[in-house]
Amino acid sequence: MNLDKGRLARITPWAASYVEQRKFAGLSVLIRQHGIEVFFDSHGVRDIETGAPFARDTVARIYSMTKPITSLILMMLVEEGKVHLDAPLSRFLPGFENCRALVPGATTIDQTEPCATPTLHQLLTHRSGLSYPFNPGVLAQVMADQDLLFKPNAGTLTTQCDALAALPLAFAPGARWEYSVGIDVIGRVIEVMTGQPLDQVFATRVLDPLGMHDTAFSVPEHVRDHFAALYTPLAGNAMDLNGADTGDDPLRLVDASTTSPFLDATCYSGGGGLVSTIDDYMRFAEALRLGGQGLVSPSTVQFMLSNHLPGDIASLGPASFAEQPMEGVGFGIGGAVVLDPARSRVPGSVGDFSWGGMASTFFWIDRVHDISVVMFTQLSPSSSYPVRAELKALVQGALM
C-alpha cells in the first residue's frame, strides 16, 4: 500500500492545532516512502521571544533519539569482532566490579545484596538494574539528589559513570525492565574500546558518512542561529516524565537557545545528548530502513530491530515509562519494536521500530510499507500530549 497525499494532508490541520492551542511553540513532520519524500510540513516558531519560524533547518534537542545511534555504533564494534554483547560491563569500566543491588522492597539506598555485573546487552535493552532520576524508587531518588542525568554540562562521561558506579543497582540485572541511563554508560564503553571521545566516534562512524552535518553534541557553529528554545507546560521540573504539576503558562521557557548548555557540551551523553535537524535524523532513519547503508550489514540491522525481550515490556513490569506503550511492544537494540499493534492500541505494523526524546521528538520506521517518519518539536516532558500515537494513526490512515 502507498501513502495517499490527500489523506496525509490531514496532518496539516492536526499539527496546526497543537500550535494554535499553545501546546507546542512549533513542530515539523517529515515522511518518506520507498525513499521518496511524500510529506513535509512545519508550523509555529522555534523561539517565542524572537518569533523565528520552526522551519526545516531548525536545530532541536533530540535527547533519547541519540540512543539508537549509540547502539548502532556499538553494533559496528560487535561486527568488527571487538566485543560481544554478553561481555560484563566491568571488563571496560572496572568501577562496576562487585556490583550490589537493592533488596526487593528496599526503602533506603544501603539495603543491598551482591548481584551479577550487568552485561552490555542488558544495558542496551534496559534490563541492567540502572535507572533514571525521573523514575520512582530509591535509586532514582538518589540519582535525582546527585543530579545524575548525564547533562551536557555535567562534567564528562567518565565522571558521571564513576558517580553511577558508586551506587547500587535498582534490581539484579535481568530481573525486570526499567528505562535507564544504560546507553549513556554504553557511550563510555565505546570511548574505552576506541580510545576516542564519543563525539569523534559519532562523527567518523555515523554522522559524516551519512551527511548529518548539522548533528552534534554541541550545537554546530554554522547552525547556531537555527537552534530552538525548549519549553514545558509544567510548573516544576521539565524533565519529570511523570509530572502532573501544570503551570499557568503552557509554554514556559526552560532552556533558551542563546544560553543553553548544548552550546558547549562537555559530557557526551550517548543516551540523550545530540542536537539535530529533521533532515539529518531522517538520513539516520532511512539508513536503518534500508539495512544499514554500509554502516553495518542488513543482518545486523535485522538483529537490532528484533525484539530482545522474552515478551513485551509490560510483561517485565516496568515501574514507570511514559514515552511509549508497554503492552504489545518489545525492545530491540536501542529502540522499541511493535509486536502486536492491537495490544499497543496504536495503529501500525508488526515490526515498527521507533524511539522518542524527552522534548517530544519522535521517529519510526515501518519496513512493511517502506515508510520513515520523523517529528520534531521542543516541549518537555514527552508525556505531555499523546502526539506520537496520534501521528502514527494519521500516517497509518493514509495507507491506501
Side-chain angles (χ1 to χ4, degrees):
M1 290 187 284
N2 289 322
L3 290 167
D4 178 80
K5 291 191 176 182
R7 285 176 168 251
L8 285 175
R10 295 169 173 173
I11 296 172
T12 297
W14 167 83
S17 71
Y18 266 89
V19 173
E20 291 162 1
Q21 296 171 36
R22 298 196 78 241
K23 292 179 177 179
F24 293 151
L27 76 160
S28 57
V29 178
L30 177 60
I31 303 173
R32 286 179 172 266
Q33 185 176 34
H34 311 309
I36 299 168
E37 182 174 319
V38 294
F39 183 87
F40 174 79
D41 199 14
S42 62
H43 296 269
V45 297
R46 64 172 178 261
D47 190 314
I48 293 173
E49 183 177 354
T50 67
F54 201 103
R56 192 156 188 156
D57 59 3
T58 293
V59 177
R61 302 155 192 78
I62 64 170
Y63 288 116
S64 288
M65 280 166 61
T66 307
K67 287 179 170 70
I69 302 179
T70 305
S71 301
L72 176 68
I73 292 172
L74 187 73
M75 291 309 304
M76 292 180 181
L77 298 172
V78 169
E79 276 196 346
E80 293 164 12
K82 295 177 179 176
V83 66
H84 63 91
L85 294 184
D86 282 333
L89 175 59
S90 55
R91 180 176 300 174
F92 308 96
L93 305 184
F96 286 91
E97 289 179 345
N98 305 314
C99 277
R100 300 183 69 85
L102 293 171
V103 299
T107 56
T108 61
I109 199 68
D110 57 352
Q111 295 175 311
T112 66
E113 59 188 5
C115 68
T117 300
T119 66
L120 302 187
H121 187 261
Q122 288 168 334
L123 289 164
L124 289 165
T125 57
H126 300 296
R127 300 187 68 196
S128 64
L130 295 174
S131 191
Y132 257 124
F134 48 70
N135 287 336
V138 173
L139 174 62
Q141 184 58 56
V142 173
M143 290 178 68
D145 293 342
Q146 296 184 14
D147 202 21
L148 257 176
L149 192 53
F150 292 77
K151 295 177 180 178
N153 58 351
T156 66
L157 263 181
T158 301
T159 59
Q160 290 283 282
C161 286
D162 287 347
L164 193 65
L167 299 175
L169 302 175
F171 52 87
R176 64 176 194 260
W177 193 97
E178 179 81 6
Y179 195 39
S180 79
V181 297
I183 297 179
D184 284 293
V185 177
I186 288 292
R188 178 59 188 147
V189 169
I190 290 170
E191 288 190 331
V192 171
M193 290 182 61
T194 62
Q196 294 179 298
L198 195 63
D199 63 337
Q200 291 183 18
V201 181
F202 266 58
T204 58
R205 285 186 172 265
V206 176
L207 305 182
D208 289 347
L210 292 182
M212 297 171 66
H213 301 309
D214 298 335
T215 304
F217 289 104
S218 296
V219 183
E221 289 284 350
H222 68 278
V223 290
R224 291 201 169 191
D225 289 345
H226 306 299
F227 188 36
L230 177 67
Y231 301 93
T232 185
L234 300 183
N237 181 8
M239 296 294 132
D240 184 0
L241 268 176
N242 305 294
D245 185 15
T246 303
D248 294 333
D249 185 355
L251 292 172
R252 178 171 66 88
L253 178 67
V254 288
D255 188 26
S257 60
T258 54
T259 58
S260 173
F262 284 94
L263 295 173
D264 189 21
T266 59
C267 180
Y268 305 134
S269 166
L274 287 179
V275 299
S276 188
T277 59
I278 198 166
D279 280 291
D280 265 16
Y281 205 86
M282 178 59 81
R283 291 182 180 95
F284 173 72
E286 283 283 84
L288 287 183
R289 185 185 66 81
L290 294 168
Q293 287 190 311
L295 298 178
V296 292
S297 76
S299 176
T300 295
V301 172
Q302 179 61 42
F303 176 81
M304 291 180 64
L305 274 52
S306 300
N307 183 32
H308 284 245
L309 306 180
D312 61 9
I313 295 173
S315 70
L316 294 170
S320 71
F321 189 48
E323 293 201 16
Q324 295 274 357
M326 291 179 282
E327 295 179 345
V329 177
F331 203 84
I333 301 296
V337 181
V338 173
L339 307 178
D340 185 341
R343 291 191 63 233
S344 77
R345 299 176 301 283
V346 179
S349 300
V350 173
D352 280 1
F353 183 84
S354 66
W355 207 239
M358 180 64 91
S360 304
T361 57
F362 187 50
F363 92 102
W364 80 90
I365 57 175
D366 176 344
R367 293 184 295 165
V368 173
H369 298 108
D370 280 341
I371 297 169
S372 297
V373 182
V374 183
M375 186 197 75
F376 268 23
T377 186
Q378 291 287 267
L379 187 92
S380 183
S382 58
S383 52
S384 300
Y385 306 110
V387 60
R388 295 166 178 174
E390 290 172 358
L391 181 56
K392 281 206 78 175
L394 283 160
V395 173
Q396 197 75 10
L399 282 164
M400 297 294 288

